[in-house]
Amino acid sequence: MTSVYIPEMARLVGVEQMTATEKLFTIELPNGRSLGHDPGQFVMASVMGVGEAPVSVSSSPSRSNGVFELCVRQVGDVTNALHGMEPGGWIGVRGPFGNGFPVEKMRGKDLLFAPGGLGLAPLRSLINQVLDERGAFGRVIILCGARRPQELLFRDEVDEWVARDDVECLVTVDRGDDTWDGHVGVITTLFHQISVNPRNTVAATVGPPIMYRFVLMELLGKGIPESQIYLSLERRMRCGVGKCGHCQIHDLCCCQEGPVLTYAQSKGVEEAL
Amino acid sequence: MSETPSNGRPKIAFFDFASCEGCQLTVVDSLQTHLDLLNAVEIVQFREAMTEKGEDYQIAFIEGSCTREADEARLLEIREQADVVVALGACAHLGGVNALKNLHPLEDTRRWVYGDKADWYGTYEARPIGAVIEVDLAIPGCPIDREEFVRVVKAVLIGKTPPIPDYPVCVECKLKENVCLFDIGKFCLGPVVRAGCDAICPTYGDGCEGCRGFIPHPNQNAMKDVLAKAGLTVEEVMSRMTMFNTYQLQEQLVEEEGR
Amino acid sequence: MSLMVLNKGAVGPLIEALMADYRVVGPQAKGPQFAFGTLTDPAQMRLDYNTTILPPKKVLQPQQERLASYSLGGKPSVEQIIEATPTVLFGIHTCDLHAVQLLDKAFSEEYPDAHYLARRDQTILVSLECLEPCDEHSFCKSMGTLTAGEGYDLHLTDLGLAYAVDVATEAGAQILSDYGSASEAGDGDVRRLNDVLGAKWPRFTYRLEFDAAELPALLSTAYDHPLWQELGDRCLACGSCTNVCPTCYCFNVYDETNMALTEGERVRRWDSCQLDEFARVAGGENFREARAARQRHRFMRKGRYIFEKFGELGCVGCGRCIRACVADINIVDGFNAIQRSA
Ligand SMILES: Cc1cc2nc3c(=O)[nH]c(=O)nc-3n(C[C@H](O)[C@H](O)[C@H](O)COP(=O)(O)OP(=O)(O)OC[C@H]3O[C@@H](n4cnc5c(N)ncnc54)[C@H](O)[C@@H]3O)c2cc1C
Ligand code: SF4
Ligand code: SF4
Ligand code: SF4
Ligand code: SF4
Ligand code: SF4
Ligand code: FES
């Protein structure tokens, strides 16, 4: 039996510095195989000799071209080592794991995406998949926040979303500077600028723990049902396959039943939000 | 860590302050048994093993506590030069047994055990290196563990976080399936003390005395209760807890006082 | 399959014979206590043991094991390592046997764990019926693990001069016939076995004050119970309660590379939800920072979460966590306290 813990060596074909602390890695699996992921799923990425870390797939399944992308923030051992790698290098990959966003349930619905900071990495996968099948969904609203202009990820793509007629995309930064002529304020301030038909809206938000508290309040305030609000939780993960116990939140195994959960599933659980 | 020298091997130096030099002897020992380690670095200063002195080191290992005001200047100099400062062993890491002398009058220290406030934080007393200069990492233990020294140096060379455990000695003790000393009428600080020594003292039947310092967020009150319930007097509880960690407990009191 | 009888004098020779072809692991004395270990001499085996410090899970999921070896430089190559040897695990009590069945489920569901399963596959289980409570901390009777109808290859019950051997599998039958000298049980043996089994029950007490089947429902209303804080104040976060638990299987993974940075191994080691760093993520956020929350997590896992996942309770009542806790935290008392306040 092949061990589920053994990573497959995949070729790093592109590295792009996105911000001071984030890089986008383009990775190619052997024999041109596609990863076969759903938006919201993650892989366990290894730098052999250093260790392994869970990272959301940032590219859309609809644009795979035999490669996938990871957007990685440099915070510790594995992510430091990844940041030290150059095209041609080798990354160990296991997965995709986890449940991903329920794209099927979103068809025909109005969609509200609220990515904060690095949360855009997984949501970009979903947003691009939706845009590649634009006709299958109702309104597409994107409320995007970052702390400072330099920390805004995927600038080009976000600008395209802003420019599109069939996407309502608003962008804000917590603190502006002289390069920034857009909206300034925390992400929740964008919510006042839109109105939604709550019963027909599915929302997906990903961001740091502190952001969830406020964004969730806004979404609920708009009357969107708890079971139509999706979020993705970040936990310590050592195996990705429901064995090591690290990712468990109350009775949920985050790497299997998550990382995407509805607000209905996670509310009231002190350890979740 | 910044630039490594042209031959690619980082230059390292060893310094000693108030200590028994036992940790440096352990270093000599590890270097002799791990030639790969010796080959990976260039030692430019090491009183235990060589006479010449190079001042162009990148990694400084400091053994011993700071016990005199005069030590401070030398420590600042080392900090200035080194990219990475490593506290080597309990004396440098914790103040260790040197700080025991900070512990009088005894009457006052007893109050700590009773949970009273105390204000006996004195003048110039033995202190860990980290109290004087910024320390990048510490290799705990009295003396340090040979294998751990090797692991830490390796991690520093790779640029990885050194694998110093945050969990307590009990973990290693249980994984080795030792009979718990509390089951045979002995006493042990293992539940609140940082592992990494492979529970060596309990393995040989001696209670842990805390030479590697406390784990993060130790439940000291519960530990005191456990020791008292197992039959230790207040004095005995105190002498155990302070054996290596006097400085930390005093600092803690000062902090609580402040609140 | 069948019931056999093995004279006590025949146990030594059976072990001796098995040792030639198998690693035979059995209970041995360790100071005043007991521990499972590889036998090098049949005389080391102490079938009269009460309980062991660590459960026999260490044979199936070792404290530390290598998952893979890798070589670095250019394209790293990674080879999986499966550490498994033909093993006879001899003399495990029924509480631990139930725990093995739970581990089997945990390691085979959804993403099977090749390392555990390979070892499990090569392990023959010989279990042993307890006729006396191991000590005052056990509560197997409450948890329904005081006996077992399945899960073993051979199951021994002490009849005085001989053991009754319930042969449950082909593998069990084979080692018994190839390496031992047992005979078919006669009517008298069957009667004697029933007497022994019938007589043991009154010696054990129910320590849970309610039916264990109610635990999951009970705990589902206890998330905010004051007990957790009380336990959190006393708990030292030492991790012993989980390390000695036969049903705990959490682990951490480490890469260990040689000094020349050319090769190394990926290893896993037991981990514990009671430790401060268990749920800490990069950036320093800790999702179970309070000891109270960690104690709650352990109790919930034992009495509820595992049940929801596998349909069986996560506690087999072996009492090890109670024995191991220097702070005297007692899971039965805890469950009872919650029930009383419900
Ligand atoms: C489902 C999921 C998706 C994710 N997606 C992304 C993504 O798309 N992009 C991205 O950049 N990140 C993502 N992350 C986060 C990413 O996994 C972590 O940043 C990464 O694991 C950090 O690993 P590291 O080895 O670099 O850090 P480490 O060196 O491992 O440092 C952090 C780890 O060390 C432990 N630790 C040890 N000591 C300390 C200490 N003193 N303080 C704090 N922590 C300590 C922490 O528990 C933590 O696990 C995701 C995480 C999850 C669970
Ligand atoms: S002997 Fe000490 S370290 Fe070992 S389990 Fe007991 S208390 Fe913990
Ligand atoms: S058991 Fe305690 S005293 Fe002994 S070496 Fe380890 S930390 Fe130091
Ligand atoms: S053994 Fe006791 S003190 Fe240690 S973590 Fe468990 S409950 Fe807490
Ligand atoms: S929780 Fe305690 S009593 Fe229950 S199986 Fe685990 S160690 Fe045994
Ligand atoms: S808990 Fe019960 S089954 Fe387990 S060893 Fe003790 S008496 Fe036997
Ligand atoms: S990451 Fe190991 S159980 Fe979820």
Side-chain angles (χ1 to χ4, degrees):
Chain A
M1 190 193 283
T2 314
S3 167
V4 69
Y5 306 116
I6 305 304
E8 178 173 31
M9 283 300 147
R11 172 80 86 175
L12 184 55
V13 294
V15 180
E16 186 191 331
Q17 184 87 45
M18 307 198 80
T19 68
T21 49
E22 275 102 6
K23 282 186 177 177
L24 186 68
F25 297 91
T26 308
I27 298 165
E28 185 181 67
L29 288 171
N31 311 319
R33 220 178 65 239
S34 82
L35 183 63
H37 67 289
D38 294 329
Q41 283 194 298
F42 65 93
V43 294
M44 294 297 287
S46 277
V47 179
M48 297 315 294
V50 181
E52 210 172 31
V55 184
S56 306
V57 183
S58 188
S59 49
S60 161
S62 56
R63 302 182 186 180
S64 86
N65 294 327
V67 297
F68 65 95
E69 291 165 349
L70 304 178
C71 174
V72 178
R73 174 174 293 173
Q74 187 171 7
V75 294
D77 287 349
V78 175
T79 50
N80 279 342
L82 280 170
H83 272 242
M85 289 178 77
E86 307 205 327
W90 296 92
I91 292 182
V93 175
R94 297 194 292 128
F97 296 129
N99 61 357
F101 292 100
V103 179
E104 289 314 311
K105 286 194 193 153
M106 297 180 168
R107 285 182 200 280
K109 296 283 203 299
D110 293 344
L111 305 180
L112 195 168
F113 301 111
L118 189 54
L120 184 54
L123 273 185
R124 167 182 177 251
S125 175
L126 176 61
I127 292 171
N128 282 333
Q129 165 142 1
V130 164
L131 295 182
D132 287 344
E133 261 187 276
R134 183 65 191 87
F137 305 90
R139 286 169 71 191
V140 172
I141 306 165
I142 304 171
L143 306 179
C144 185
R147 280 188 305 182
R148 291 182 300 155
Q150 314 87 280
E151 293 178 23
L152 205 55
L153 295 167
F154 302 104
R155 259 320 246 288
D156 298 351
E157 274 171 64
V158 173
D159 285 347
E160 272 173 43
W161 299 339
V162 171
R164 275 174 82 142
D165 293 337
D166 57 355
V167 176
E168 302 158 61
C169 179
L170 302 175
V171 184
T172 188
V173 295
D174 296 356
R175 265 175 297 132
D177 60 21
D178 10 317
T179 68
W180 185 252
D181 54 7
H183 190 277
V184 176
V186 292
I187 189 170
T188 48
T189 57
L190 296 179
F191 282 79
H192 311 310
Q193 304 182 26
I194 52 140
S195 59
V196 299
N197 170 2
R199 302 279 292 286
N200 196 46
T201 301
V202 176
T205 178
V206 186
I210 176 83
M211 185 194 96
Y212 280 134
R213 283 169 219 148
F214 298 105
V215 166
L216 286 167
M217 255 158 47
E218 297 291 334
L219 293 170
L220 294 169
K222 294 214 177 286
I224 301 174
E226 291 174 355
S227 59
Q228 285 168 220
I229 300 174
Y230 291 88
L231 37 96
S232 176
L233 293 185
E234 213 172 270
R235 284 300 178 276
R236 183 148 183 188
M237 292 185 180
R238 282 308 194 224
C239 71
V241 293
K243 302 285 186 275
C244 76
H246 280 271
C247 70
Q248 192 162 345
I249 308 169
H250 197 36
D251 54 350
L252 291 166
C253 179
C254 192
C255 68
Q256 285 186 297
E257 294 158 85
V260 176
L261 301 173
T262 63
Y263 177 63
Q265 280 175 295
S266 47
K267 76 162 175 181
V269 180
E270 169 193 308
E271 294 166 14
L273 293 170
Chain B
M1 194 175 51
S2 68
E3 299 301 289
T4 46
S6 50
N7 64 5
R9 296 191 300 161
K11 293 188 176 166
I12 69 175
F14 292 85
F15 303 92
D16 47 88
F17 292 82
S19 65
C20 70
E21 297 178 22
C23 290
Q24 290 196 64
L25 288 176
T26 309
V27 169
V28 173
D29 194 35
S30 339
L31 291 174
Q32 275 163 357
T33 45
H34 288 86
L35 292 176
D36 45 350
L37 176 60
L38 199 53
N39 291 332
V41 296
E42 186 183 340
I43 302 175
V44 298
Q45 203 176 135
F46 195 174
R47 213 166 49 79
E48 288 294 334
M50 57 199 270
T51 46
E52 59 272 38
K53 277 189 180 178
E55 296 296 341
D56 54 342
Y57 48 88
Q58 284 105 21
I59 309 176
F61 291 88
I62 304 180
E63 186 196 64
S65 320
C66 182
T67 50
R68 295 171 302 171
E69 219 152 343
D71 292 342
E72 291 194 2
R74 203 161 137 240
L75 284 168
L76 288 168
E77 248 168 59
I78 297 171
R79 179 69 266 186
E80 183 75 4
Q81 167 61 33
D83 297 326
V84 180
V85 172
V86 185
L88 195 64
C91 300
H93 170 215
L94 304 170
V97 286
N98 291 311
L100 270 178
K101 71 166 192 188
N102 307 359
L103 259 193
H104 38 74
L106 196 67
E107 202 48 39
D108 284 338
T109 47
R110 293 176 58 161
R111 285 197 279 141
W112 167 76
V113 179
Y114 288 120
D116 274 349
K117 307 282 185 226
D119 54 351
W120 35 264
Y121 183 53
T123 52
Y124 212 74
E125 284 156 331
R127 61 200 63 194
I129 300 307
V132 181
I133 59 173
E134 197 189 323
V135 166
D136 299 294
L137 55 115
I139 302 181
C142 178
I144 57 166
D145 181 87
R146 201 141 65 99
E147 296 308 317
E148 189 170 63
F149 173 75
V150 175
R151 283 196 300 272
V152 169
V153 175
K154 198 155 72 179
V156 171
L157 297 180
I158 307 175
K160 230 173 112 164
T161 314
I164 309 254
D166 268 357
Y167 49 78
V169 175
C170 284
V171 170
E172 291 174 341
C173 193
K174 275 286 170 287
L175 264 49
K176 290 175 91 170
E177 206 166 3
N178 291 333
V179 172
C180 178
L181 294 174
F182 282 101
D183 287 349
I184 52 171
K186 294 186 183 177
F187 312 94
C188 182
L189 288 186
V192 290
V193 170
R194 188 185 296 278
C197 55
D198 208 17
I200 184 145
C201 300
T203 302
Y204 286 101
D206 297 323
C208 170
E209 300 193 305
C211 80
R212 298 174 55 87
F214 291 119
I215 51 170
H217 317 298
N219 192 346
Q220 290 173 358
N221 286 331
M223 189 73 244
K224 284 186 239 167
D225 290 347
V226 166
L227 291 170
K229 230 189 99 221
L232 284 193
T233 63
V234 167
E235 278 78 12
E236 287 165 335
V237 170
M238 182 195 74
S239 80
R240 241 162 228 274
M241 300 281 271
T242 52
M243 180 67 148
F244 287 97
N245 295 284
T246 303
Y247 185 85
Q248 284 64 33
L249 293 170
Q250 290 184 330
E251 284 286 283
Q252 194 178 312
L253 274 181
V254 171
E255 203 177 292
E256 279 162 17
E257 196 92 318
R259 269 199 239 120
Chain C
M1 256 168 65
S2 66
L3 190 68
M4 306 285 282
V5 173
L6 184 70
N7 282 325
K8 284 200 169 163
V11 173
L14 169 65
I15 301 297
E16 179 102 59
L18 284 168
M19 275 165 45
D21 294 333
Y22 292 91
R23 171 174 71 137
V24 183
V25 178
Q28 304 177 21
K30 177 141 192 177
Q33 299 177 353
F34 296 94
F36 278 97
T38 301
L39 301 172
T40 52
D41 176 349
Q44 292 164 329
M45 183 145 74
R46 290 284 301 274
L47 289 179
D48 61 337
Y49 78 109
N50 51 5
T51 180
T52 52
I53 303 172
L54 291 181
K57 90 175 163 186
K58 69 175 188 178
V59 174
L60 297 167
Q61 190 198 358
Q63 293 93 318
Q64 168 163 323
E65 84 175 288
R66 302 177 298 155
L67 296 176
S69 64
Y70 51 81
S71 65
L72 304 170
K75 180 179 176 180
S77 71
V78 187
E79 293 288 333
Q80 76 177 38
I81 300 177
I82 303 277
E83 295 178 326
T85 31
T87 299
V88 178
L89 183 46
F90 208 101
I92 72 172
H93 288 158
T94 50
C95 53
D96 288 336
L97 185 68
H98 282 270
V100 168
Q101 287 173 275
L102 192 66
L103 294 182
D104 287 351
K105 284 189 183 172
F107 283 116
S108 35
E109 59 103 43
E110 197 137 357
Y111 294 96
D113 186 299
H115 309 268
Y116 174 92
L117 292 176
R119 265 188 304 274
R120 181 66 181 85
D121 207 41
Q122 300 212 32
T123 302
I124 294 173
L125 292 179
V126 182
S127 49
L128 176 66
E129 186 86 10
C130 287
L131 301 180
E132 303 277 348
C134 49
D135 68 9
E136 73 279 16
H137 294 310
S138 61
F139 54 109
C140 47
K141 190 174 183 182
S142 299
M143 303 311 287
T145 59
L146 176 48
T147 190
E150 57 176 12
Y152 48 79
D153 295 289
L154 299 174
H155 181 68
L156 311 184
T157 306
D158 190 337
L159 301 182
L161 297 174
Y163 287 104
V165 186
D166 183 20
V167 182
T169 64
E170 271 309 327
Q174 189 128 27
I175 60 162
L176 201 57
S177 64
D178 291 358
Y179 299 90
S181 52
S183 52
E184 297 258 342
D187 288 348
D189 299 315
V190 174
R191 238 177 294 119
R192 175 105 186 90
L193 174 62
N194 287 335
D195 287 349
V196 165
L197 291 181
K200 79 174 236 184
W201 287 89
R203 290 184 208 125
F204 294 78
T205 44
Y206 287 106
R207 303 213 35 241
L208 214 52
E209 293 164 0
F210 57 98
D211 187 344
E214 292 167 23
L215 262 175
L218 179 66
L219 289 176
S220 68
T221 62
Y223 194 72
D224 297 314
H225 200 282
L227 176 72
W228 312 130
Q229 191 53 52
E230 221 177 281
L231 298 182
D233 289 342
R234 281 162 57 200
C235 172
L236 296 151
C238 71
S240 290
C241 50
T242 66
N243 281 329
V244 301
C245 178
T247 68
C248 279
Y249 53 89
C250 292
F251 57 83
N252 207 345
V253 180
Y254 306 83
D255 276 10
E256 294 182 346
T257 309
N258 68 345
M259 183 62 79
L261 307 185
T262 51
E263 56 187 28
E265 287 168 347
R266 185 160 283 183
V267 301
R268 72 170 159 194
R269 226 170 280 152
W270 289 3
D271 205 345
S272 166
C273 62
Q274 297 308 299
L275 303 177
D276 191 66
E277 61 182 52
F278 189 77
R280 194 161 68 200
V281 299
E285 181 118 16
N286 188 342
F287 293 97
R288 262 193 302 281
E289 189 153 29
R291 286 185 299 271
R294 287 182 249 147
Q295 280 292 306
R296 171 175 64 202
H297 189 70
R298 175 167 79 96
F299 277 57
M300 289 280 182
R301 213 169 141 101
K302 298 301 155 195
R304 182 179 158 216
Y305 303 157
I306 294 281
F307 178 82
E308 284 168 355
K309 209 166 171 184
F310 303 118
E312 272 172 57
L313 290 169
C315 172
V316 296
C318 74
R320 285 191 182 87
C321 56
I322 306 171
R323 289 176 205 113
C325 181
V326 297
D328 293 336
I329 289 176
N330 184 314
I331 193 164
V332 193
D333 292 350
F335 286 152
N336 283 337
I338 293 171
Q339 203 268 343
R340 271 185 239 130
S341 64

